[in-house]
Amino acid sequence: MAIQGLALAAFILAAKATTLVSAASLVTFIFGDSLTEVGNNNYLQFSLARSDYPWYGIDYSGRKATGRFTNGRTIGDIISAKLGIPPPPPYLSLSKNNDALLKGVNYASGGAGILNDTGLYFIQRLSFDDQIDCFKKTKESITTKIGEDAANKLCNEAMYFIGIGSNDYVNNYLQPYLADGQQYTPEEFGELLISTLDKQLTRLYQLGARKVAFHGLGPLGCIPSQRVKSKTGLCLKRVNEWVLEFNSGVKKLIATLNHRFPNAKFTFADTYGDVLDLIDNPTAYGFKVSNTSCCNVDTNIGGLCLPNSKPCSNRTDYVFWDAFHPSDKANEILAEKFFSTLFSGPPSTAPEPSH
């Protein structure tokens, strides 16, 4: 665990050092779901996983919806600012000849999962496999622009941030009418996710990724969309146990990948404990409400903000913006905690499953 934590610290410290030399030369590629999306699904005409309407974006620059699934910034936006670079644009907003491809791209897509059938009822979304396909096309475009050697160098030196897996539970396994929840035991489903992720991260390595940070899942059993399923309104313990099993499996996979590819640095970034503390002790962080969302939602038809509904009067009181996603203020605290943990104390490690 200590070695894994030190590897993550080294990864981020190297990134920080890079920004001190030249922020303009730092390239980041972001993969994930709605927690890090910045607008890809806006370009998918039939996607039902979109946040391009009020009051999403009310606290973002321009006070308009951008496709981010929160009232303001994502954690990725805040991390980019700390690294001294603008947040990478959504992949689907760029032409294949756009010079912006050379500076980093965000491939994240709301509803996306590790498994291709995750989020199927959203009609259109970019699964993790789709996102890797998009990165392959990005590298081909970069190669055309600057040549093979320079493109390989750029991809090798870039940083890759990945946060995915939440939808594989929330919008797949935990849905009683979908096949995976009927077909697999929790252990079998977790193993399927890890084995699939192994192939996907290996493919990214083959495409040139050498500095990869995978963000573990938070306590999904405590998000508003899951708490409503509890008769007492408390967190769903079994869901959190499955998440801890998944995080533990990813951590082991990361160690395997580092052994398999010694010239790469894969790291596991734990977020579980920080998010759980924020939910369990909201007043310690200046919040008043952590068990429900700021905007009005209908969990029977999803969990996003209902169009034309009014958000809560004081958005900074709420940990959650909608039934799935943290508010801007919560994202800021989590990003700050993530960095302060790395730079002023021993890095955290993934909690062990408790059974």
Side-chain angles (χ1 to χ4, degrees), residues 286-298:
F287 295 99
K288 294 181 180 179
V289 184
S290 64
N291 62 346
T292 190
S293 60
C294 168
C295 72
N296 293 324
V297 301
D298 184 347

Side-chain angles (χ1 to χ4, degrees), residues 51-344:
S51 58
D52 55 344
Y53 59 89
W55 296 98
Y56 287 97
I58 187 173
D59 296 308
Y60 191 72
S61 176
R63 299 177 66 83
K64 292 183 179 180
T66 61
R68 289 165 171 81
F69 287 77
T70 182
N71 57 309
R73 301 159 295 169
T74 67
I75 290 178
D77 291 329
I78 299 164
I79 289 175
S80 291
K82 286 183 168 295
L83 292 175
I85 59 174
Y91 170 77
L92 293 179
S93 71
L94 305 172
S95 70
K96 66 178 182 179
N97 296 319
N98 197 312
D99 286 343
L101 294 172
L102 300 170
K103 299 179 181 179
V105 181
N106 186 315
Y107 304 94
S109 173
I114 295 169
L115 303 181
N116 290 326
D117 58 353
T118 287
L120 196 62
Y121 45 57
F122 293 128
I123 312 299
Q124 285 183 301
R125 72 273 179 239
L126 300 176
S127 69
F128 192 24
D129 277 332
D130 292 332
Q131 293 176 39
I132 297 172
D133 288 341
C134 293
F135 173 68
K136 182 175 183 290
K137 293 177 182 177
T138 296
K139 185 176 181 183
E140 290 169 354
S141 295
I142 292 174
T143 299
T144 299
K145 282 181 171 295
I146 63 178
E148 185 174 358
D149 290 346
N152 286 334
K153 185 174 186 292
L154 184 151
C155 291
N156 289 167
E157 294 179 352
M159 294 193 302
Y160 299 75
F161 292 96
I162 303 168
I164 201 160
S166 295
N167 285 313
D168 292 290
Y169 286 98
V170 175
N171 286 305
N172 187 343
Y173 193 72
L174 294 173
Q175 297 296 337
Y177 50 86
L178 296 181
D180 284 354
Q182 307 293 327
Q183 184 176 352
Y184 301 104
T185 66
E187 293 75 18
E188 290 170 341
F189 187 69
E191 290 171 0
L192 175 63
L193 292 180
I194 298 301
S195 63
T196 304
L197 187 60
D198 185 356
K199 297 182 181 72
Q200 292 165 332
L201 295 180
T202 296
R203 187 174 172 220
L204 268 180
Y205 171 85
Q206 293 168 342
L207 288 169
R210 295 294 182 269
K211 303 173 186 176
V212 182
F214 189 97
H215 293 185
L217 302 186
L220 297 178
C222 296
I223 65 176
S225 74
Q226 298 304 302
R227 292 177 83 128
V228 296
K229 300 177 182 179
S230 167
K231 293 180 180 179
T232 60
L234 299 177
C235 299
L236 299 182
K237 183 179 177 182
R238 65 180 183 122
V239 175
N240 284 346
E241 289 173 346
W242 296 343
V243 167
L244 288 172
E245 288 280 7
F246 172 81
N247 282 349
S248 180
V250 175
K251 188 171 61 172
K252 293 174 183 175
L253 172 60
I254 294 299
T256 299
L257 291 171
N258 281 322
H259 180 74
R260 188 188 303 163
F261 306 122
N263 64 332
K265 185 180 294 295
F266 290 84
T267 59
F268 179 85
D270 174 36
T271 60
Y272 186 98
D274 291 340
V275 179
L276 185 61
D277 191 49
L278 193 59
I279 294 170
D280 285 346
N281 304 292
T283 56
Y285 299 92
F287 295 99
K288 294 181 180 179
V289 184
S290 64
N291 62 346
T292 190
S293 60
C294 168
C295 72
N296 293 324
V297 301
D298 184 347
T299 54
N300 292 317
I301 59 172
L304 298 182
C305 300
L306 293 173
N308 302 319
S309 65
K310 291 185 178 181
C312 57
S313 58
N314 191 349
R315 297 184 289 278
T316 59
D317 285 346
Y318 286 73
V319 171
F320 287 97
W321 169 245
D322 60 23
F324 302 108
H325 308 101
S327 64
D328 175 89
K329 181 180 174 182
N331 281 334
E332 182 174 20
I333 289 173
L334 291 170
E336 291 284 352
K337 196 160 187 176
F338 179 72
F339 267 74
S340 65
T341 299
L342 290 172
F343 294 121
S344 62

